[in-house]
Structures are given as C-alpha cells and as structure tokens.
C-alpha cells in the first residue's frame, strides 16, 4: 500500500465529520480517525463519536473494512486558553466582530497541527476535515484560503507532503444529507440521524426527524433546515 493512500480524518462525532469519514473510506486504502477533547462544555460528542465508530462497523461492514484505529487527543489545556461558549456554560451570543462566541480562536489550526503531528508519525499524509464555508457562522478557520495556507505551513514546518481535504467546503447542509444518501444510502442517513451529534447545548433526550438536539440553538436550526430542504427535494 502506498503511503499516500492513507488518510487521517478529524472525526468529532458530528454530522459533517461523520460524512467526511465515509467520504475518506471510499477514497483511501486505509483510514484512521482522530478526536480531540478540548474541554467542550459537554462530553456528548466524545461519547457519540465512539458509538458512531462501533455502529458504522456493525451496520456497514463492507464500507469499513479499511477503517483503522481511532486516536483520542487531550487538548484540554488549549480549551482553557481559548475559552468560549463551547467550552464554558454561557449563552451563545454574537460578539462585536460578528462572530458567534461559539468561535474558539485557532481551534481548527490547532486540530490540524495535532493531526499532522500524528499523521507524520504514522505515515497518514491525507488529512480530512468537515470544515464548510457555507456554515452560518463564517468561522475564519473554516475558510478554504485559511486551510490552503495551513497545509503549506504544515508542509514547510514538518518538511512533509500533507494534503488537507475538505469535501464539504462548498456544499450546504441539504446537499450534505444528499451526499450521505449517495455515499451510503439510507443506512448511512439513519446512522447519522441516530449516532451523530451537533447540538451546541448537548441535548440528547429530544429526538427529531433529523436527529437529537434542543431544536433551537444555531447548530440544531442549521441541521433541521438542511434536513427539511433535502427531504423536500428528494
Ligand atoms: Zn441544539
């Protein structure tokens, strides 16, 4: 197996990174996953991500033959440094820069640096993330130009040849439900509904047609609207 046939997926347990994982499984000969504990204010995502990996192996065995190890990385020190409403019990508000204070400064830069350090050691030169420019939030570290320069910085700084892949960069949430259907049919759509988590408030006891969550936070709204739009067009 050539080393450039291997990939490391930044897998958080959310809808987008779950989809990226399946995208990578279809594209690369071997795929590993990495997840970060950065002191999120609820541990739901970290629990859900383990469930999702077990469930996808059980439900879609033919798709997951090339799924290798999962790596869990403690970045809680970074979370303390970069406190925001994702890492503290606070209401989600938009600050004066126009960014919601769910923005954790430098988060994706930190994630890619940590992923590249692991990838360097394990020969995983394709790094895959679910960043998306069409998110409501406009997080600057989700933008394509940020990540292009990040790739260059990693390759210069580690004297390596990483490629950062962001398959969801230009699609909206309706199209990502569509993509799930195309990559893994309704079995994958149902897996994403049941075993991924996006709600900022960590609500897991309210089940909607699109999955679990409070239904009113910005992440739930985006997920629900995307789902409804996809159902209407499919
Ligand atoms: Zn929510």
């Amino acid at each position: 197996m050539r080393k450039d046939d291997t990939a490391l997926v930044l897998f958080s347990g959310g809808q987008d990174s779950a989809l990226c994982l399946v995208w990578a499984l279809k594209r690369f000969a071997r795929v590993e996953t990495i997840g970060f504990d950065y002191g999120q204010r609820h541990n739901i995502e970290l629990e859900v991500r383990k469930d999702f990996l077990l469930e996808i192996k059980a439900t879609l065995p033919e798709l997951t033959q090339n799924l290798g190890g999962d790596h869990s990385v403690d970045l809680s020190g970074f979370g303390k440094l970069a406190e925001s409403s994702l890492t503290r019990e606070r209401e989600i508000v938009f600050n004066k820069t126009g960014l919601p204070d769910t923005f954790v400064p430098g988060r994706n830069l930190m994630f890619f640096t940590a992923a590249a350090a692991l990838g360097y050691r394990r020969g995983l030169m394709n790094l895959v993330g679910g960043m998306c420019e069409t998110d409501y939030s406009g997080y600057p570290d989700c933008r394509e130009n940020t990540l292009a320069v990040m790739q260059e910085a990693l390759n210069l700084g580690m004297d390596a040849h990483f490629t950062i892949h962001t398959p969801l960069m230009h699609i909206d949430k309706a199209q990502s439900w569509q993509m799930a259907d195309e990559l893994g049919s309704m079995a994958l759509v149902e897996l994403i509904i049941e075993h991924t988590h996006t709600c900022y408030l960590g609500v897991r006891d309210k089940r909607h047609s699109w999955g679990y969550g409070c239904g009113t936070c910005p992440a739930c709204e985006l997920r629900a609207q995307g789902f409804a739009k996809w159902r209407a067009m499919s």
Side-chain angles (χ1 to χ4, degrees):
M1 189 194 305
R2 299 199 326 264
K3 278 196 172 170
D4 62 358
D5 276 337
T6 59
L8 181 61
V9 178
L10 280 67
F11 177 57
S12 70
Q15 176 181 356
D16 292 344
S17 63
L19 194 52
C20 285
L21 173 57
V22 177
W23 179 88
L25 286 168
K26 292 217 154 192
R27 194 176 189 99
F28 299 105
R30 181 175 173 79
V31 175
E32 299 186 14
T33 47
I34 186 169
F36 304 104
D37 177 354
Y38 58 99
Q40 294 94 320
R41 65 180 178 174
H42 50 78
N43 286 320
I44 299 284
E45 274 201 353
L46 297 175
E47 287 163 24
V48 165
R49 67 186 296 285
K50 291 190 202 113
D51 287 349
F52 184 89
L53 292 173
L54 290 174
E55 290 291 335
I56 195 172
K57 283 182 199 162
T59 317
L60 299 167
E62 70 293 345
L63 191 69
T64 48
Q65 284 169 358
N66 51 339
L67 179 56
D70 178 45
H71 309 272
S72 193
V73 178
D74 181 357
L75 291 180
S76 51
F78 173 71
K80 280 185 200 130
L81 187 72
E83 276 185 324
S84 77
S85 65
L86 281 187
T87 52
R88 282 194 64 185
E89 294 287 342
R90 265 202 290 161
E91 284 210 31
I92 296 164
V93 292
F94 285 79
N95 66 28
K96 58 181 179 296
T97 62
L99 284 168
D101 72 354
T102 51
F103 175 59
V104 181
R107 178 173 52 171
N108 288 328
L109 306 181
M110 178 59 93
F111 286 177
F112 272 113
T113 305
L118 181 78
Y120 186 97
R121 291 284 179 215
R122 298 188 60 76
L124 304 163
M125 304 314 281
N126 292 286
L127 308 176
V128 185
M131 298 77 198
C132 175
E133 281 193 347
T134 54
D135 270 1
Y136 80 102
S137 44
Y139 293 157
D141 60 343
C142 289
R143 289 180 195 146
E144 192 166 40
N145 56 0
T146 304
L147 297 178
V149 178
M150 187 70 205
Q151 175 180 299
E152 198 178 346
L154 293 172
N155 287 334
L156 287 171
M158 298 190 194
D159 193 16
H161 296 282
F162 290 105
T163 304
I164 291 180
H165 302 268
T166 52
L168 311 186
M169 182 56 75
H170 300 293
I171 67 172
D172 68 18
K173 286 288 178 274
Q175 289 167 310
S176 67
W177 285 106
Q178 175 70 32
M179 186 175 160
D181 193 9
E182 285 164 9
L183 287 176
S185 73
M186 282 308 285
L188 179 60
V189 171
E190 277 157 27
L191 210 60
I192 286 175
I193 290 171
E194 282 300 323
H195 298 286
T196 67
H197 186 86
T198 350
C199 175
Y200 282 143
L201 303 181
V203 173
R204 203 67 200 157
D205 55 1
K206 277 191 213 162
R207 168 71 155 78
H208 313 263
S209 57
W210 44 266
Y212 297 88
C214 70
T216 53
C217 78
C220 280
E221 278 185 357
L222 201 64
R223 181 163 164 150
Q225 284 164 8
F227 187 82
K229 191 174 158 196
W230 169 63
R231 293 311 288 169
M233 69 192 197
S234 60

